[in-house]
Amino acid sequence: MKRFRWQNIYLALVFLVLYIPIFYLIFYSFSQGHNMNHFSGFTWAHYQELFQDQRMIEIVLDTLLVALLSSLLATIIGLLGALVIHRVKKPMWKNTLLSLNNILMVSPDVIIGASFLIFFTFLGFKLGFGSVLLSHIAFSIPIVVLMVLPKLNEMNTSLVDAARDLGATQPQVFSRVVLPYIAPGIFAGFFMAFTYSLDDFAVTFFVTGNGFETLAVEIYARARQGISLEINALSALMFLFSLVLVAGYYVLNQYNSSKKGRKRRMEANHNR
Amino acid sequence: MKRAHGFYSVPYVLWLALFVIAPLVLIVYQSFFNISGQFTFDNYKLYLSSGTYLRMTLNSVWYALLITALTLLISYPTAYWLSQTKHKQLWLLLIILPTWINLLLKAYAFIGIFSQGGSVNRFLQFFGFGAHQLLFTNTSFILVAAYIEIPFMILPIFNAIDELKPSLLNASKDLGATNWQTFSKVVFPLTLDGVKAGVQAVFIPSLSLFMLTRLIGGNKVITLGTAIEEHFLVTQNWGMGSTIGVVLIIAMIAIMFLTGERKKRGR
Amino acid sequence: MAEPIITFQHVYKRYDDTVALGDIDFELEQGKFYTLLGPSGCGKTTILRILAGFTEASEGKVTFKGQQINRVPANQRQINTVFQDYALFPHLNVFDNVAFGLTLKRTPKKDIKRRVLEALKSVRLAGYEDREISELSGGQQQRVAIARAIVNEPQVLLLDEPLSALDAKLRTAMQVELRQLQRRLGITFLFVTHDQGEALAMSDEIFVMSDGKILQQGSPVDIYDEPINHFVADFIGESNIVKGRMVADYQVQFVGKQFECSDAGIPAHEPIEVVLRPEDLVLTDVAKGKLTVVVDTQVFRGNLYEILSHDADGNQWLIHAVHKAKVGQEVGIYFEPEDIHVMRFGESEEEFDARLEQYEGDD
Ligand SMILES: Nc1ncnc2c1ncn2[C@@H]1O[C@H](COP(=O)(O)OP(=O)(O)O)[C@@H](O)[C@H]1O
Ligand SMILES: [Mg+2]
């Protein structure tokens, strides 16, 4: 029993360390001062400042737009990619495709950023919204593939046979059996792609040029100039936004898997 | 059927060609050109002969090792004990949640925490240690990098531990192993793949976190990533930047080979 | 004889380096219950898959009502399948699973509802239409799979080991139900199993398979009583098989003695194998027995004693006896001449049938 207490203290410490910086930021977003050293009275001033910051609001909207568009397109291409890889039966080809797919997953951001920068420059592609969007689509595709592929592999081939047996044409098999089956994977892939895009700094930093900025790039620019509690206010809002997203995802996932959960429970009962 | 097959694979194959293969080829290609656009081996010669580049590379690898070791040290017990808690999935979600906060915001938080008048220094002063220059030191870089990478180490290890069948642990105890023997002879070997995945997920980014070195580490060029950013975006010497990029890619492949080798044999 | 609904003509199926089917040749008549019986890996599923249209024969002809269907896609065949793992769609409930095929054919809603409910009723699942698949037991899922197939009113129903996942009791019940269902619908069933008891209990006709070939075709009684070779005899039920020699027509020699038998048409002195079913062997006194054996082990099976014994030559004899014996005791075994079944080495099914016809005609 005593050992158990030590473990909990350790875990509590880890959680504290993980969350202190975040709450530290949020805490000072309500401070009247101008730095993060002394809390000098409560105020909403930094939030007001943030909401009047036309440039910041534009950047937030741009960031969300890039995230939404890139994750949508990445989901479509990634889904097609997963279908391609799933179709390939020769192990050698399959492994080659998978390795190529994963290159962008394991490459450091700087390499992706630098090589995309060379690529766009080589093609004479103008840096800006377009190059950022294309880059975000590009680095989000592999995660979508990795989310969808296990679902495809897990799907019993006899389901497809059964659908054909019952008279379904190839497109009907896809829309009525395969798509509903792998939907949770597609959904997870979309979600991951969305967060990848929101989270990215390094790649965007390389390929954004001068005209276009995302939130991460803007925060970097401001943070290099020192502390501004407007950024604290922004972090508090972003933290809230993440919480909502995670909660939403969690709830939807629960809903999706509730059928399976029931099944597992049934099996457990059955085995007893 | 064949034609339909070809049709729907076009976007993905195009992506593979344009955004995976072409950029890789281009970065290697670029590494053979000097700043005025002439073909040359000078970048590699300079890299291999100048002490600065080699020292910087060794430094970067050394820091990445320290960061990886530190995260592993903190993460393994965390993952292990987390897997024994009651609502482990919920706790795990709480571990992952901070990764949703943009990395730059977290770095920014540490600018406040580590600053001269910041809370860590006040804490030190309270115990009579006096204020220290914390920000813009290599130590602060390592600490913040470790902070950021911890969840990425916990996650694969947790998954590996979670996949362990309870019957294996029971079998081990049944055969007379103590708790420690069970851990060292059964649990740890079986979760080694998770550790390797975690090391992979932490080591490679640690070589390249240029924004952290800029914001926390005091603007010194101490990692491969910072060097690349410097050459591409500051001095505009893309050739040399690409050369360092190629070095980073080689380091990455080496790490993947080292940590991935056993897994493949096991399969 | 009526025109066969299905024929396989010299069908081969090869994968990269394995021959899954070698020269399969058979005919199925309308309205009968057929069973493919054989050990795992012998090619049973492959035959079903070729028939359903999931895979194509490498060689040979497959016909349906006289039309070659080798290249007709699965979704255009009047054949439906009950899969071994049921293959129920997890995202659809019971009703939608059963309605799947009808919906694709754009059957009017009202008809769909009527037919689905009817199909569910015929598999005794009335009232289950709103359940999720995950809320059903294995046996219920199995019935949904059957309902989903028969609701399309196929001419032929293929069933790939549909009962193998059920427990013993449910299995026996389902065997009876399936047989009744087949009679009621009057359509052809092609049933796959590796369980000889199941095959014997349900079928009009059995095809015994091994290694991609059909070894013997016949009614359950024929196959049980007159197995064509060692493999079939051994696979269908328990049997005592010993080597022997033909002495003359109706005279056979084994374990050093000569016995009267009911087989003929085999040249004298030809080496043969003799099958004696354990339930045909009767325990008696040593004096009255045709063979003398020593009891080695005895197991009580509820309805009989399973006695393992050996004779002086070391041959093992399995006896299903009504009364107990004593381990170590010397006993006699008695059997009738008709209980002896003689098998020739390497005799094909055609030769076997021809020989039977010839001497049965003699009688
Ligand atoms: N898709 C396939 N590729 C290669 N070999 C296969 C394939 N499907 C079946 N086989 C082989 O064909 C043989 C017959 O298989 P199957 O018809 O499934 O046997 P059964 O259903 O009687 O157990 C087996 O040896 C199996 O390994
Ligand atoms: Mg099979």
Side-chain angles (χ1 to χ4, degrees):
Chain A
M1 225 47 236
K2 201 169 185 190
R3 276 194 44 163
F4 188 61
R5 284 244 298 280
W6 281 111
Q7 297 167 13
N8 284 349
I9 288 173
Y10 182 87
L11 288 181
L13 271 176
V14 170
F15 274 105
L16 255 165
V17 167
L18 278 179
Y19 279 92
I20 277 181
I22 295 162
F23 287 119
Y24 187 83
L25 276 183
I26 296 174
F27 178 68
Y28 278 103
S29 73
F30 298 110
S31 164
Q32 281 174 1
H34 291 287
N35 59 34
M36 290 195 261
N37 294 344
H38 298 282
F39 191 83
S40 38
F42 179 87
T43 176
W44 288 106
H46 306 296
Y47 288 87
Q48 282 163 354
E49 196 184 339
L50 180 67
F51 284 120
Q52 278 155 17
D53 190 339
Q54 204 59 45
R55 177 182 155 77
M56 192 57 121
I57 288 171
E58 242 167 62
I59 290 174
V60 169
L61 290 179
D62 278 349
T63 309
L64 286 175
L65 182 70
V66 167
L68 209 60
L69 278 180
S70 69
S71 50
L72 264 176
L73 288 165
T75 305
I76 294 168
I77 302 175
L79 169 62
L80 294 177
L83 291 171
V84 170
I85 296 177
H86 184 67
R87 258 296 161 80
V88 174
K89 288 285 176 276
K90 284 235 162 60
M92 197 194 77
W93 278 107
K94 200 173 196 120
N95 285 336
T96 310
L97 272 177
L98 271 174
S99 305
L100 284 174
N101 182 71
N102 293 355
I103 284 181
L104 288 187
M105 292 286 301
V106 294
S107 293
D109 293 351
V110 259
I111 296 290
I112 301 177
S115 64
F116 281 8
L117 175 61
I118 303 174
F119 174 69
F120 286 126
T121 317
F122 186 81
L123 290 183
F125 197 92
K126 196 171 158 298
L127 297 184
F129 175 79
S131 59
V132 171
L133 181 65
L134 280 176
S135 305
H136 282 216
I137 294 171
F139 67 61
S140 301
I141 286 173
I143 187 67
V144 177
V145 172
L146 290 188
M147 291 281 143
V148 175
L149 203 52
K151 277 275 156 199
L152 279 173
N153 290 337
E154 166 198 311
M155 191 177 70
N156 210 322
T157 48
S158 66
L159 283 185
V160 172
D161 282 345
R164 281 206 288 153
D165 189 69
L166 296 168
T169 60
Q170 210 66 15
Q172 282 172 326
V173 171
F174 184 71
S175 65
R176 287 174 186 241
V177 176
V178 178
L179 214 52
Y181 193 93
I182 61 175
I186 298 174
F187 183 61
F190 172 77
F191 185 73
M192 291 300 285
F194 189 75
T195 61
Y196 269 36
S197 170
L198 276 188
D199 227 31
D200 176 67
F201 162 69
V203 177
T204 312
F205 191 61
F206 271 87
V207 299
T208 190
N210 291 325
F212 184 75
E213 259 174 289
T214 65
L215 204 49
V217 175
E218 176 70 8
I219 294 169
Y220 180 73
R222 294 204 188 186
R224 289 201 80 177
Q225 281 153 25
I227 288 176
S228 136
L229 293 189
E230 191 188 337
I231 295 186
N232 291 55
L234 182 66
S235 351
L237 291 181
M238 285 178 72
F239 184 64
L240 262 181
F241 183 63
S242 315
L243 271 182
V244 170
L245 272 185
V246 172
Y249 181 74
Y250 192 73
V251 168
L252 272 169
N253 239 2
Q254 288 301 96
Y255 175 79
N256 265 335
S257 63
S258 64
K259 288 180 194 171
K260 279 207 176 143
R262 259 188 307 208
K263 176 165 187 191
R264 246 175 267 127
R265 254 175 284 135
M266 289 265 311
E267 276 164 6
N269 288 337
H270 188 73
N271 289 342
R272 236 178 271 142
Chain B
M1 198 55 236
K2 268 259 135 57
R3 270 180 60 198
H5 184 189
F7 179 71
Y8 76 76
S9 57
V10 164
Y12 184 74
V13 171
L14 218 58
W15 167 77
L16 276 181
L18 290 181
F19 287 94
V20 179
I21 297 168
L24 268 184
V25 172
L26 280 173
I27 202 169
V28 175
Y29 174 81
Q30 186 78 45
S31 70
F32 291 108
F33 287 87
N34 65 17
I35 199 160
S36 42
Q38 286 152 330
F39 183 87
T40 171
F41 288 104
D42 285 354
N43 295 326
Y44 287 95
K45 276 188 206 146
L46 183 65
Y47 176 85
L48 291 171
S49 61
S50 105
T52 2
Y53 282 116
L54 288 178
R55 215 175 308 120
M56 185 270 300
T57 306
L58 277 181
N59 245 329
S60 184
V61 170
W62 172 239
Y63 286 140
L65 274 176
L66 284 179
I67 294 166
T68 309
L70 186 61
T71 14
L72 181 58
L73 214 63
I74 297 170
S75 300
Y76 199 98
T78 310
Y80 185 72
W81 285 327
L82 212 58
S83 71
Q84 296 175 346
T85 56
K86 222 175 186 178
H87 305 286
K88 52 185 174 186
Q89 291 304 333
L90 187 70
W91 291 117
L92 188 70
L93 198 69
L94 282 179
I95 293 276
I96 301 170
L97 189 62
T99 66
W100 281 59
I101 311 295
N102 197 301
L103 176 152
L104 287 159
L105 288 178
K106 286 182 273 188
Y108 170 77
F110 279 97
I111 298 180
I113 293 171
F114 282 163
S115 68
Q116 280 285 338
S119 42
V120 173
N121 263 323
R122 265 186 286 145
F123 185 76
L124 289 176
Q125 273 165 340
F126 183 80
F127 288 101
F129 285 105
H132 282 263
Q133 174 64 35
L134 291 170
L135 202 56
F136 308 136
T137 61
N138 297 343
T139 318
S140 65
F141 165 65
I142 291 170
L143 288 179
V144 175
Y147 166 80
I148 285 167
E149 301 292 356
I150 281 175
F152 298 104
M153 183 68 94
I154 292 179
L155 193 62
I157 298 177
F158 176 89
N159 285 337
I161 293 174
D162 206 38
E163 270 169 24
L164 275 186
K165 292 202 192 78
S167 60
L168 289 178
L169 306 188
N170 291 338
S172 164
K173 282 182 192 146
D174 184 71
L175 296 168
T178 62
N179 280 344
W180 172 249
Q181 285 169 328
T182 299
F183 176 80
S184 64
K185 292 196 190 298
V186 179
V187 178
F188 191 74
L190 284 176
T191 52
L192 209 58
D193 277 346
V195 172
K196 285 179 171 177
V199 167
Q200 235 183 57
V202 170
F203 190 86
I204 297 169
S206 300
L207 289 173
S208 59
L209 285 169
F210 71 89
M211 44 290 184
L212 280 194
T213 60
R214 291 283 189 218
L215 292 175
I216 306 280
N219 222 1
K220 286 167 288 184
V221 180
I222 51 171
T223 67
L224 288 169
T226 329
I228 294 170
E229 187 247 2
E230 171 108 355
H231 282 102
F232 269 91
L233 301 178
V234 183
T235 63
Q236 298 285 330
N237 185 352
W238 288 18
M240 195 62 216
S242 298
T243 304
I244 302 169
V246 171
V247 172
L248 184 49
I249 292 172
I250 292 169
M252 176 182 100
I253 293 170
I255 268 294
M256 303 230 305
F257 191 74
L258 284 177
T259 53
E261 188 188 29
R262 238 191 90 144
K263 222 168 157 187
K264 269 184 204 127
R265 248 193 291 143
R267 268 181 205 154
Chain C
M1 197 176 101
E3 192 200 355
I5 186 159
I6 299 263
T7 69
F8 265 49
Q9 296 167 26
H10 304 291
V11 169
Y12 287 80
K13 178 70 187 178
R14 298 182 196 90
Y15 293 105
D16 291 339
D17 44 0
T18 51
V19 179
L21 296 178
D23 200 8
I24 296 289
D25 220 30
F26 64 76
E27 293 185 352
L28 306 184
E29 282 172 43
Q30 172 80 48
K32 279 196 176 177
F33 196 118
Y34 293 93
T35 298
L36 291 172
L37 172 65
S40 167
C42 72
K44 308 179 296 288
T45 299
T46 308
I47 289 183
L48 287 202
R49 289 178 60 81
I50 289 174
L51 203 43
F54 305 140
T55 183
E56 239 180 86
S58 316
E59 207 179 294
K61 194 168 160 188
V62 181
T63 70
F64 178 81
K65 288 187 165 171
Q67 303 279 317
Q68 174 155 359
I69 54 162
N70 286 45
R71 319 217 73 183
V72 176
N75 51 4
Q76 291 167 23
R77 297 188 185 194
Q78 279 182 308
I79 297 173
N80 285 111
T81 308
V82 176
F83 291 82
Q84 182 163 8
D85 58 1
Y86 315 144
L88 297 173
F89 304 120
H91 60 289
L92 302 177
N93 66 13
V94 169
F95 184 94
D96 292 335
N97 259 285
V98 178
F100 191 89
L102 296 177
T103 319
L104 293 175
K105 285 181 206 109
R106 299 179 199 271
T107 314
K109 272 240 162 65
K110 251 182 35 209
D111 290 0
I112 293 184
K113 181 150 190 206
R114 183 177 50 78
R115 285 168 65 178
V116 168
L117 294 183
E118 210 170 274
L120 283 173
K121 206 168 132 205
S122 74
V123 293
R124 301 202 290 122
L125 276 182
Y128 281 73
E129 49 275 7
D130 292 331
R131 294 276 194 105
E132 293 297 329
I133 296 306
S134 51
E135 293 170 332
L136 300 178
S137 72
Q140 290 167 337
Q141 293 188 10
Q142 215 265 306
R143 288 154 196 256
V144 175
I146 294 170
R148 185 179 68 175
I150 63 174
V151 78
N152 302 292
E153 296 171 354
Q155 301 271 339
V156 179
L157 187 66
L158 311 176
L159 304 103
D160 192 354
E161 311 207 15
L163 308 182
S164 61
L166 307 181
D167 58 51
K169 221 169 155 186
L170 192 55
R171 219 174 145 136
T172 322
M174 278 308 293
Q175 288 171 5
V176 176
E177 259 181 57
L178 271 179
R179 185 66 228 228
Q180 284 171 351
L181 184 72
Q182 188 268 333
R183 292 231 170 91
R184 194 146 31 94
L185 296 174
I187 62 174
T188 310
F189 273 35
L190 183 54
F191 182 92
V192 161
T193 183
H194 61 259
D195 178 333
Q196 46 97 12
E198 203 163 275
L200 293 174
M202 302 174 77
S203 324
D204 292 321
E205 290 269 315
I206 297 176
F207 299 93
V208 183
M209 291 186 65
S210 164
D211 255 345
K213 292 209 159 55
I214 293 178
L215 297 181
Q216 188 172 9
Q217 166 182 5
S219 71
V221 174
D222 283 352
I223 288 190
Y224 190 83
D225 286 347
E226 276 147 14
I228 183 173
N229 61 21
H230 193 125
F231 177 88
V232 178
D234 205 28
F235 196 73
I236 310 286
E238 288 170 302
S239 40
N240 298 294
I241 305 174
V242 289
K243 290 207 163 66
R245 192 174 287 278
M246 212 61 197
V247 178
D249 280 357
Y250 307 113
Q251 283 292 321
V252 65
Q253 178 200 327
F254 55 91
V255 291
K257 293 184 186 152
Q258 204 160 313
F259 299 92
E260 196 186 326
C261 71
S262 60
D263 294 79
I266 304 168
H269 308 301
E270 183 179 307
I272 44 91
E273 280 179 309
V274 167
V275 184
L276 279 161
R277 295 288 182 187
E279 65 273 18
D280 293 336
L281 303 181
V282 182
L283 279 190
T284 67
D285 305 336
V286 176
K288 290 186 198 156
K290 292 190 173 179
L291 287 170
T292 305
V293 296
V294 177
V295 175
D296 294 322
T297 63
Q298 171 171 270
V299 180
F300 181 54
R301 291 286 184 201
N303 51 351
L304 53 83
Y305 290 92
E306 198 176 276
I307 294 170
L308 212 54
S309 59
H310 69 269
D311 61 21
D313 293 354
N315 295 309
Q316 283 221 328
W317 293 92
L318 180 69
I319 308 159
H320 288 172
V322 189
H323 302 292
K324 294 211 256 209
K326 255 206 214 103
V327 173
Q329 190 185 10
E330 210 169 61
V331 293
I333 297 178
Y334 180 80
F335 46 84
E336 300 288 341
E338 305 85 72
D339 297 334
I340 298 175
H341 172 64
V342 175
M343 304 184 299
R344 299 173 75 184
F345 289 97
E347 192 174 36
S348 76
E349 202 179 347
E350 290 86 42
E351 291 162 351
F352 176 74
D353 288 343
R355 180 166 63 83
L356 282 193
E357 228 151 77
Q358 178 207 328
Y359 74 75
E360 276 172 0
D362 284 357
D363 286 350

